Amino acid sequence: MPRVDPAREAPQPQTISRDLIDRGRERYGVFCTPCHGQDGRGGGMIVARGFPPAGDLTAEPLRRAPAAEIYGVIGNGRRAMFGMAQMIPSADRWAIVAYVRALQLSQDAVVAGLPPDDRARLEATR
């Protein structure tokens, strides 16, 4: 019986949609948050319990890294991180990369740089 190999690579999406980022956020929450934390800075609950420090996904070197490099690390691992290719299908790895890019942009964002409507919504939550 044929089955889909989750480790089989898929091409990088040509466009980033809201649905792709939403899928990436959901998959990031399942697979990445335990080590990298919700903010991506590497302070997840596994690290807090003594596992080796996770990489800061919002650090400048990773912001400059090509998307394919982040995708490759998710699949193959690096340093203390295990490769997740067998657990995270290729399309979901690309979705996680899209979400990580959005997460990077959201960290340390300047409120004054937001569009007026978004700034007003943010101010209303204070």
Side-chain angles (χ1 to χ4, degrees):
M1 172 170 295
R3 68 181 184 97
V4 175
D5 179 4
R8 184 172 180 209
E9 293 193 12
Q12 182 176 355
Q14 295 301 308
T15 58
I16 305 300
S17 67
R18 176 64 188 248
D19 288 341
L20 184 68
I21 293 173
D22 287 346
R23 176 69 179 181
R25 180 181 58 227
E26 189 269 332
R27 299 283 76 194
Y28 178 91
V30 171
F31 293 106
C32 310
T33 298
C35 295
H36 294 281
Q38 289 183 343
D39 63 1
R41 295 188 189 270
M45 67 178 176
I46 302 300
V47 174
R49 288 175 172 78
F51 199 77
D56 180 351
L57 303 177
T58 67
E60 192 58 35
L62 200 59
R63 289 175 187 246
R64 289 191 311 263
E69 182 177 332
I70 299 168
Y71 172 88
V73 171
I74 295 169
N76 301 316
R78 181 180 286 168
R79 296 186 199 95
M81 180 177 163
F82 302 104
M84 307 289 275
Q86 290 296 324
M87 295 172 36
I88 307 174
S90 182
D92 284 348
R93 283 181 265 153
W94 282 120
I96 291 169
V97 171
Y99 177 69
V100 166
R101 290 298 197 211
L103 188 64
Q104 290 169 339
L105 290 171
S106 73
Q107 299 299 308
D108 305 319
V110 179
V111 174
L114 295 173
D117 290 345
D118 291 338
R119 196 172 333 129
R121 276 188 292 205
L122 181 62
E123 295 294 331
T125 63
R126 290 184 178 179

